[in-house]
Each structure stands twice: as structure tokens, then as C-alpha cells.
Amino acid sequence: MTWSAAYLLASLVLAVWLVRRWTRLHASCERASRPRELANAELVYMEKLFRIGEPIRLVARVDRAYRLPGGSLVLVELKTRKMSRPYLSDVIQLSAQRLAIEMLTGEVVEPYGYVSVLGGNRKMRSHQVRLLDAEAVVDLYRRREAIRTGRAPPAYASAESACRGCALRSRCDRFGR
Amino acid sequence: MPTRRHAQRNEVSATELAEMGFCEKRVQLVHLYGEQAMPEQRKAMARGQMAHQRYLEEGLAATADRRCFVATFVFGPDARETQVLRAYRDAVLLRRRWGRILVAAYYRVAPTGCRIMARSPATVVRVRRILRVVVAWCEWALGDRRAP
């Protein structure tokens, strides 16, 4: 009798633990993580790679793309960082993704996208950003090539604080080295 | 490593191009000396990869959730009844914690239910009758929610 009660209790504890674990795992479903404005959109691409050769040789992996009821796509990029804000680099990344998708599939991608930031408190917040047009992305690609081949002088990070965590700081001439 | 792979093909990734918005000097230094990262940055990258994996799994689970096993079996995938039940799931159940648990539990048992129904046409008729009542109720509930 005592053993039966012990088995019953152990099974109950195990069941409660499994339910709690499952609930925690599934509490944040895809619906909860998508931007509010995309509530009626359909998730069509996840971690999908797009590669183009024209107008530039570009490869872009899309975190998520949603199709609006009107048929156009909206891009969402996931970032993990303490500060819940989008940066210029996020805008460039999404703009390059947009160019790759439009060139490869011919589909219309909205000129805005979302940067969903997962903060340290495990809460996700989405920020809408306006994307660069194709011409600006191509110009940026050309400027990158010019910098890499020494044909154009590079600009430094806008904030010096960004240099603190840079692994290439010792090789950088910003601080007169 | 990806940088070198892309460089060989004169190809740039969206992530590499995005570096231009952070620091152009770093882009030049990475080209000259290769990608380098501090231990904290490596940890952050690992955290980011894990978060992306979870993000992908959530997305995959959501697209798999388009199925509505029993209704699809009884009425067909594009039937009005199936659409109503899907709409109720998306608009009501998936927005609540208890609802998500209920949907997940249903997805566990529903395939077995379908297998039983496949062997018994009489059961399909009975389930269809019951589901019609459920669909009517869901339709009423959805209409009530949409009303101003």
C-alpha cells in the first residue's frame, strides 16, 4: 500500500513536471513572436537562402518573411541584444535581403521590415524600419569593394564606445596607433 | 571562414554588407587580417545561434499547425467547416495559454482518432454531426468577437 502510494505520488510529480516543462517550452509560439502588424499575414519563408548574381553577387538568409493579404512580403530579422533598438546595420541587412528576394523571385517586398529584438529578459520587441532601395544597396556594395581594395578611405564607427569590444582594436589607427 | 568562402566567389552576404553600417574600418581590417572575435562576442554569437534555432522551430511548428486533423478527415481540407475551426484556433485558442496547451494536446491525440475513423465509417458520420454543432458554436463565437 505504501509503495503504491509512493508510485502514485512519484507519477503525479513527474506528470506535473512534464506539463510545466512543456508549457514553458511552448509558451512563446510563433504567433506571440511576430510583430503585431503582421497578425493576419502568412509565414512563407524561414531561414531561407537567396542567392543572386545580378546586379551584385549577393547571398542573403532570411529569418522570416510574411505574406500580407495583398500578396506582398514583409521581412523580419531576429536579433539578440541588450538594447532593444534597431541599428543601421539591421536596415542594410534587411535591404540586402529584399534585393535578393525581389531579383530572384520577382515578388514584391514591402519597403519596410521589422527588427525583432530578443532582450536579456527574454522578451521580444519588434521595431519597424524603412529599408534602403536597390540602388543604395548596390552603392554600398561598391563602396565596400573600394574600401577593401584601398581605393576609398573607410569611416570609423560613429560612436567610440563601439570600439571597446572590437577584437581588431589593436590594429586600428583610430586612436593614433 | 564564410568571409573567405564568399570572397573566393566575389560574393557578399547580407550580414557582411551590414557590417558597413557599423564600422567601415572594421570591414577593411577584417579583409586584411581575417575575422576575429572576443570571448564575449563568441558567447553572444552562440546565444544568437540558439535563439535563431528556437525562432526557426517556432516557425516550423506554426506552419505545421495549419493542419486540423479530424475536421480535415471528416469534411475535407478546404471545406468551410474546416476553415471555421482553423480560424477559431488561430483567433481564440492560440492567443491564450490554456488554448495553446489544448491545441497541442489535441494534435497529439487527433491522428489516432483519424486512424480509428478510417476503420469505421459509422464513427465518421457521428463525429461529423458533433463537429457541425461545434463549428456552429465557433462561428457564433467568431462572429461575436468581430462584432463592434
Side-chain angles (χ1 to χ4, degrees):
Chain A
M1 186 67 186
T2 318
W3 279 108
S4 306
Y7 277 130
L8 191 70
L9 192 68
S11 308
L12 206 67
V13 169
L14 184 69
V16 169
W17 179 76
L18 283 171
V19 166
R20 279 176 66 89
R21 192 165 178 272
W22 187 92
T23 309
R24 224 173 287 153
L25 275 172
H26 292 78
S28 56
C29 71
E30 184 273 327
R31 286 257 160 204
S33 68
R34 67 165 69 183
R36 206 176 283 269
E37 293 83 353
L38 302 178
N40 297 318
E42 183 194 358
L43 178 58
V44 285
Y45 296 128
M46 287 168 282
E47 290 287 333
K48 187 158 172 66
L49 200 74
F50 295 89
R51 177 171 272 128
I52 54 168
E54 289 292 329
I56 54 173
R57 292 178 68 84
L58 174 72
V59 58
R61 187 180 289 278
V62 174
D63 282 350
R64 277 187 192 170
Y66 289 88
R67 194 185 306 284
L68 294 174
S72 57
L73 299 175
V74 178
L75 302 175
V76 180
E77 177 68 22
L78 175 72
K79 293 290 169 194
T80 49
R81 58 173 72 123
K82 282 179 194 161
M83 290 276 283
S84 183
R85 54 163 289 196
Y87 290 97
L88 176 60
S89 54
D90 305 328
V91 173
I92 296 171
Q93 193 172 355
L94 281 167
S95 306
Q97 291 172 6
R98 180 183 180 224
L99 175 67
I101 295 178
E102 286 193 330
M103 291 303 294
L104 196 70
T105 67
E107 292 195 82
V108 175
V109 182
E110 290 292 335
Y112 63 86
Y114 290 90
V115 180
S116 292
V117 182
L118 187 65
N121 54 1
R122 316 252 324 127
K123 283 198 174 161
M124 193 179 286
R125 203 172 145 211
S126 295
H127 306 266
Q128 194 184 83
V129 289
R130 188 139 281 276
L131 306 185
L132 308 173
D133 57 24
E135 205 177 317
V137 176
V138 173
D139 285 348
L140 208 61
Y141 173 85
R142 291 199 182 120
R143 175 156 175 78
R144 182 177 179 271
E145 287 305 303
I147 287 169
R148 280 156 56 95
T149 50
R151 286 182 285 118
Y156 299 105
S158 54
E160 278 189 23
S161 57
C163 305
R164 258 182 250 137
C166 182
L168 290 157
R169 187 188 161 102
S170 59
R171 297 184 187 273
C172 185
D173 55 5
R174 182 175 197 172
F175 303 100
R177 290 176 197 190
Chain B
M1 203 59 187
T3 308
R4 189 170 293 172
R5 195 172 65 238
H6 293 312
Q8 281 171 354
R9 286 185 257 164
N10 194 23
E11 188 178 65
V12 65
S13 74
T15 314
E16 287 164 353
L17 197 61
E19 284 282 320
M20 289 287 288
F22 175 62
C23 177
E24 292 182 354
K25 183 70 188 177
R26 192 174 187 282
V27 170
Q28 187 191 48
L29 292 173
V30 167
H31 178 63
L32 293 173
Y33 305 109
E35 185 63 76
Q36 291 170 28
M38 307 281 260
E40 302 86 58
Q41 286 169 329
R42 279 196 207 102
K43 276 184 198 164
M45 279 190 267
R47 274 200 302 273
Q49 277 172 356
M50 279 177 67
H52 271 86
Q53 185 58 35
R54 274 197 301 272
Y55 197 59
L56 173 66
E57 283 167 11
E58 281 175 16
L60 288 172
T63 46
D65 279 358
R66 286 207 193 102
R67 294 166 295 174
C68 193
F69 298 100
V70 175
T72 305
F73 186 86
V74 172
F75 299 112
D78 298 316
R80 189 188 62 82
E81 289 89 345
T82 312
Q83 304 288 345
V84 170
L85 290 172
R86 278 190 193 131
Y88 185 79
R89 178 200 59 196
D90 292 344
V92 180
L93 296 179
L94 289 178
R95 286 165 192 245
R96 290 166 175 80
R97 195 183 172 115
W98 63 264
R100 289 197 288 270
I101 294 170
L102 194 72
V103 169
Y106 166 74
Y107 280 172
R108 288 278 166 89
V109 298
T112 313
C114 290
R115 275 196 292 275
I116 294 167
M117 283 191 289
R119 288 196 294 264
S120 167
T123 314
V124 177
V125 175
R126 275 183 224 120
V127 171
R128 190 179 289 135
R129 273 188 209 138
I130 297 166
L131 274 182
R132 284 217 168 104
V133 177
V134 177
V135 167
W137 186 84
C138 288
E139 227 167 0
W140 172 81
L142 284 170
D144 203 41
R145 282 168 63 85
R146 280 169 197 155

mmCIF file of all heavy atoms in Angstrom, chain B residues 23-38:
data_model
loop_
_atom_site.group_PDB
_atom_site.id
_atom_site.type_symbol
_atom_site.label_atom_id
_atom_site.label_comp_id
_atom_site.label_asym_id
_atom_site.label_seq_id
_atom_site.Cartn_x
_atom_site.Cartn_y
_atom_site.Cartn_z
ATOM 1 N N CYS B 23 30.928 49.737 -38.888
ATOM 2 C CA CYS B 23 32.240 50.374 -38.946
ATOM 3 C C CYS B 23 32.948 49.945 -40.234
ATOM 4 O O CYS B 23 33.286 48.774 -40.398
ATOM 5 C CB CYS B 23 33.063 49.973 -37.713
ATOM 6 S SG CYS B 23 34.739 50.639 -37.728
ATOM 7 N N GLU B 24 33.175 50.919 -41.112
ATOM 8 C CA GLU B 24 33.838 50.618 -42.390
ATOM 9 C C GLU B 24 35.291 50.212 -42.175
ATOM 10 O O GLU B 24 35.843 49.394 -42.905
ATOM 11 C CB GLU B 24 33.752 51.833 -43.310
ATOM 12 C CG GLU B 24 32.336 52.118 -43.783
ATOM 13 C CD GLU B 24 32.243 53.300 -44.737
ATOM 14 O OE1 GLU B 24 33.263 53.991 -44.950
ATOM 15 O OE2 GLU B 24 31.150 53.542 -45.250
ATOM 16 N N LYS B 25 35.901 50.802 -41.154
ATOM 17 C CA LYS B 25 37.305 50.476 -40.860
ATOM 18 C C LYS B 25 37.425 48.988 -40.498
ATOM 19 O O LYS B 25 38.379 48.312 -40.879
ATOM 20 C CB LYS B 25 37.805 51.349 -39.698
ATOM 21 C CG LYS B 25 39.271 51.140 -39.349
ATOM 22 C CD LYS B 25 40.177 51.687 -40.434
ATOM 23 C CE LYS B 25 41.623 51.301 -40.182
ATOM 24 N NZ LYS B 25 42.516 51.750 -41.257
ATOM 25 N N ARG B 26 36.441 48.519 -39.752
ATOM 26 C CA ARG B 26 36.451 47.107 -39.349
ATOM 27 C C ARG B 26 36.342 46.203 -40.587
ATOM 28 O O ARG B 26 36.976 45.152 -40.643
ATOM 29 C CB ARG B 26 35.296 46.838 -38.377
ATOM 30 C CG ARG B 26 35.399 45.503 -37.701
ATOM 31 C CD ARG B 26 34.360 45.282 -36.634
ATOM 32 N NE ARG B 26 34.661 44.045 -35.936
ATOM 33 C CZ ARG B 26 34.399 42.838 -36.419
ATOM 34 N NH1 ARG B 26 33.819 42.720 -37.598
ATOM 35 N NH2 ARG B 26 34.736 41.752 -35.747
ATOM 36 N N VAL B 27 35.544 46.630 -41.557
ATOM 37 C CA VAL B 27 35.394 45.867 -42.802
ATOM 38 C C VAL B 27 36.757 45.719 -43.479
ATOM 39 O O VAL B 27 37.136 44.634 -43.930
ATOM 40 C CB VAL B 27 34.378 46.570 -43.748
ATOM 41 C CG1 VAL B 27 34.377 45.937 -45.136
ATOM 42 C CG2 VAL B 27 32.982 46.532 -43.151
ATOM 43 N N GLN B 28 37.510 46.834 -43.494
ATOM 44 C CA GLN B 28 38.840 46.814 -44.113
ATOM 45 C C GLN B 28 39.799 45.903 -43.331
ATOM 46 O O GLN B 28 40.529 45.105 -43.920
ATOM 47 C CB GLN B 28 39.399 48.245 -44.151
ATOM 48 C CG GLN B 28 40.690 48.363 -44.933
ATOM 49 C CD GLN B 28 41.333 49.725 -44.725
ATOM 50 O OE1 GLN B 28 41.470 50.186 -43.595
ATOM 51 N NE2 GLN B 28 41.707 50.368 -45.833
ATOM 52 N N LEU B 29 39.753 46.020 -41.994
ATOM 53 C CA LEU B 29 40.660 45.216 -41.152
ATOM 54 C C LEU B 29 40.328 43.722 -41.246
ATOM 55 O O LEU B 29 41.230 42.885 -41.250
ATOM 56 C CB LEU B 29 40.592 45.698 -39.695
ATOM 57 C CG LEU B 29 41.169 47.103 -39.451
ATOM 58 C CD1 LEU B 29 40.900 47.558 -38.036
ATOM 59 C CD2 LEU B 29 42.663 47.148 -39.748
ATOM 60 N N VAL B 30 39.040 43.416 -41.314
ATOM 61 C CA VAL B 30 38.639 42.005 -41.464
ATOM 62 C C VAL B 30 39.162 41.468 -42.796
ATOM 63 O O VAL B 30 39.639 40.331 -42.884
ATOM 64 C CB VAL B 30 37.098 41.859 -41.370
ATOM 65 C CG1 VAL B 30 36.641 40.484 -41.834
ATOM 66 C CG2 VAL B 30 36.629 42.113 -39.941
ATOM 67 N N HIS B 31 39.123 42.294 -43.827
ATOM 68 C CA HIS B 31 39.632 41.889 -45.148
ATOM 69 C C HIS B 31 41.144 41.611 -45.076
ATOM 70 O O HIS B 31 41.640 40.661 -45.692
ATOM 71 C CB HIS B 31 39.332 42.993 -46.162
ATOM 72 C CG HIS B 31 39.858 42.703 -47.532
ATOM 73 N ND1 HIS B 31 39.421 41.633 -48.281
ATOM 74 C CD2 HIS B 31 40.804 43.331 -48.288
ATOM 75 C CE1 HIS B 31 40.071 41.624 -49.434
ATOM 76 N NE2 HIS B 31 40.919 42.637 -49.461
ATOM 77 N N LEU B 32 41.841 42.452 -44.307
ATOM 78 C CA LEU B 32 43.306 42.326 -44.233
ATOM 79 C C LEU B 32 43.761 41.210 -43.284
ATOM 80 O O LEU B 32 44.703 40.486 -43.574
ATOM 81 C CB LEU B 32 43.925 43.662 -43.778
ATOM 82 C CG LEU B 32 43.787 44.838 -44.756
ATOM 83 C CD1 LEU B 32 44.275 46.132 -44.121
ATOM 84 C CD2 LEU B 32 44.577 44.558 -46.043
ATOM 85 N N TYR B 33 43.102 41.109 -42.133
ATOM 86 C CA TYR B 33 43.597 40.200 -41.080
ATOM 87 C C TYR B 33 42.653 39.036 -40.763
ATOM 88 O O TYR B 33 42.976 38.208 -39.918
ATOM 89 C CB TYR B 33 43.863 40.996 -39.790
ATOM 90 C CG TYR B 33 44.807 42.153 -40.008
ATOM 91 C CD1 TYR B 33 44.347 43.467 -39.964
ATOM 92 C CD2 TYR B 33 46.161 41.943 -40.267
ATOM 93 C CE1 TYR B 33 45.205 44.534 -40.180
ATOM 94 C CE2 TYR B 33 47.025 43.011 -40.484
ATOM 95 C CZ TYR B 33 46.535 44.301 -40.436
ATOM 96 O OH TYR B 33 47.396 45.344 -40.649
ATOM 97 N N GLY B 34 41.491 39.014 -41.365
ATOM 98 C CA GLY B 34 40.535 37.938 -41.084
ATOM 99 C C GLY B 34 39.628 38.282 -39.914
ATOM 100 O O GLY B 34 39.923 39.183 -39.126
ATOM 101 N N GLU B 35 38.530 37.564 -39.819
ATOM 102 C CA GLU B 35 37.540 37.818 -38.755
ATOM 103 C C GLU B 35 38.109 37.416 -37.399
ATOM 104 O O GLU B 35 38.733 36.357 -37.268
ATOM 105 C CB GLU B 35 36.270 37.014 -39.059
ATOM 106 C CG GLU B 35 35.110 37.254 -38.131
ATOM 107 C CD GLU B 35 34.585 38.680 -38.162
ATOM 108 O OE1 GLU B 35 33.883 39.040 -39.123
ATOM 109 O OE2 GLU B 35 34.895 39.425 -37.229
ATOM 110 N N GLN B 36 37.969 38.290 -36.432
ATOM 111 C CA GLN B 36 38.412 37.986 -35.072
ATOM 112 C C GLN B 36 37.299 38.377 -34.103
ATOM 113 O O GLN B 36 36.582 39.332 -34.360
ATOM 114 C CB GLN B 36 39.693 38.757 -34.742
ATOM 115 C CG GLN B 36 40.896 38.255 -35.536
ATOM 116 C CD GLN B 36 42.109 39.153 -35.401
ATOM 117 O OE1 GLN B 36 42.276 39.828 -34.397
ATOM 118 N NE2 GLN B 36 42.952 39.158 -36.426
ATOM 119 N N ALA B 37 37.188 37.623 -33.031
ATOM 120 C CA ALA B 37 36.119 37.909 -32.059
ATOM 121 C C ALA B 37 36.638 37.728 -30.644
ATOM 122 O O ALA B 37 37.465 36.851 -30.379
ATOM 123 C CB ALA B 37 34.931 37.001 -32.307
ATOM 124 N N MET B 38 36.145 38.572 -29.760
ATOM 125 C CA MET B 38 36.481 38.477 -28.326
ATOM 126 C C MET B 38 35.674 37.296 -27.751
ATOM 127 O O MET B 38 34.639 36.934 -28.310
ATOM 128 C CB MET B 38 36.075 39.766 -27.606
ATOM 129 C CG MET B 38 36.620 41.016 -28.236
ATOM 130 S SD MET B 38 38.330 41.333 -27.814
ATOM 131 C CE MET B 38 38.125 42.553 -26.547
#
